[in-house]
Amino acid sequence: MLNSHMVLAFAMTAAVVVVVPGPSVMFIVSRALTVGRPAAMAAACGNTLGTIVQGLLAAAGIGSLVAESETLFNVIKWGGAAYLVAMGSKTLRHRKDSSDADGSLVVPSRRRVAREGFIVA
């Protein structure tokens, strides 16, 4: 039986997890701020599709395999971290390249942004 202290601790932990943005939210917000709403919507759609695929793979039993194999889990974990760091460093290195010579903003294709959102998920 749950006591009130356990319920309160769970509620506080859940509130912190929900309030703190993760990599997906940060990616979508960065797309919205740098290239606008259409790119943010494409990033959100790609991210949602990636999350659906992730859920389907977990439902098919792949999650159990990953949980059992420490090596596979570490490969996925560090591969994802490396991808996010690479995206961040690329963004920092090329932040001056985001506009043409005339000052107009170079907007990546929605397909590219959606693919990046899928991979972030």
Side-chain angles (χ1 to χ4, degrees), residues 3-27:
N3 62 30
S4 61
H5 295 294
M6 290 177 70
V7 172
L8 181 61
F10 173 78
M12 289 173 46
T13 303
V16 168
V17 168
V18 168
V19 171
V20 176
S24 295
V25 172
M26 297 300 283
F27 175 71

Side-chain angles (χ1 to χ4, degrees), residues 9-57:
F10 173 78
M12 289 173 46
T13 303
V16 168
V17 168
V18 168
V19 171
V20 176
S24 295
V25 172
M26 297 300 283
F27 175 71
I28 294 166
V29 169
S30 74
R31 295 294 96 193
L33 294 175
T34 56
V35 290
R37 182 182 289 175
M41 293 299 292
C45 289
N47 195 268
T48 301
L49 184 60
T51 303
I52 290 169
V53 169
Q54 206 176 37
L56 290 173
L57 290 172

